[in-house]
Amino acid sequence: MARVSDGPELVVAGAGISGLALAAGLARAGSSYRVRLLDERPALGSTGGAITLWPAALAALDRIGTGADVRAAGHPVGAGTVRTNSGRTLRTLDHDRTTAALGEAPVAVRRGALVEILHARVAPGTVTFDAAVRGYERTDGGVRVLTSTAPIAARALVGADGYRSRVARALHPGLAERYAGYPAWRGLTRAAGLDAVQLWGAHQEFGVVPLGDDVAYWFATVREPAEGAADDELAHLAAAFRGWPDPVARVLAGTDPDAVSRNDVMDRQPLRRWRDGPVVVIGDAAHPMRPHLGQGGGQALVDAALLASLLADAGSPEEAFAAFEARRRRTTGRVVRASRAAARAVDAPAAVHRLSALVPDALLLRALAAIGGSRS
Ligand SMILES: Cc1cc2nc3c(=O)[nH]c(=O)nc-3n(C[C@H](O)[C@H](O)[C@H](O)COP(=O)(O)OP(=O)(O)OC[C@H]3O[C@@H](n4cnc5c(N)ncnc54)[C@H](O)[C@@H]3O)c2cc1C
């Protein structure tokens, strides 16, 4: 178990994937910071069923000593098909080829398992729940963190508080976000013999990712107005995807209605800078991205592992934050742009879907390896 150190205090806003991974990484590096995570939620958790982690993310987990546990809790997903909603196969990727191109097969893991593995690596009492960060003020000694309870005097603040980040908004007042035009639904299902598949129709998508033992994670997008909510989201989806090929109906039928999440997909303008002296943002707070390439959480893990090692080695948090921004801002900008391009391709008419099949597998895998592969 990590030791609680007597060093200067580092406050982290958010105990999600990136905040927990940063704390776990600092504990692993034997850093002298006293780390304190504040999360507005009442308890540890992460909605959305499961997450696919690419080799770059798995390598980051290895660096913080949790890669083996996450691989053991998850399921490799190297093979898969992309089909149209009329059943035509656009692309088939096999496990060996994907693994050779990426360096390792991506791993799908329940989000709850991932956050528990990360949380187990931080010292007891590190996370305070029901505590929201509202902003910060710089002081001579570092930063005064404004919270939903009392302010906290700290040496430094890391905003790991997701795409609605209060820390990013304090860095950039007036930061704008806009609705991407569709919500994403996610859930877990129990059904036999499911393989990884993405089904594309005009402005609609349905994806299935097996988790082993006849359980699978699924996601769906449909163009509709923001802030909608159906009385019965499963019935709403069954109607939206009526007539789509197997396994859509089976997947929806095997889903627990209480475990379906619906989130409006948002797009936020890129941040011009990620830091302000002893304050920095990481993960979705720094670079939210469209979900279609499954990269946001993985890039958040890469951020966290890198920042932990920089903080453990640098003379000051300011120095670590400057090196972090220099190493990650441009790289993640490329992933944000690639994710937006993937969103445009998915959210397109059928003719564009058919044209996408003309892109050779080798070219596609090279592009995917460049953003999420083990050497990216
Ligand atoms: C439909 C969909 C599918 C996705 N699929 C994948 C995938 O397969 N692979 C992948 O890598 N990524 C995927 N992502 C992206 C991934 O979920 C995010 O990139 C990832 O969760 C970002 O982690 P984070 O720690 O930066 O933020 P979050 O996970 O959002 O965590 C932020 C934390 O901060 C807390 N918080 C928020 N505001 C405050 C505040 N003011 N004060 C205190 N605490 C606060 C929240 O409660 C939360 O615990 C997907 C996203 C969506 C929407």
Side-chain angles (χ1 to χ4, degrees), residues 151-173:
I152 300 170
R155 175 65 186 87
L157 168 67
V158 178
D161 48 345
Y163 81 94
R164 289 191 194 280
S165 172
R166 292 297 285 259
V167 180
R169 280 178 172 72
L171 273 168
H172 295 277

Side-chain angles (χ1 to χ4, degrees), residues 163-165 168-170 172-177 268-272 285:
Y163 81 94
R164 289 191 194 280
S165 172
R169 280 178 172 72
H172 295 277
L175 183 63
E177 63 180 22
R268 207 180 71 187
Q269 69 194 69
L271 297 185
R272 288 186 320 283

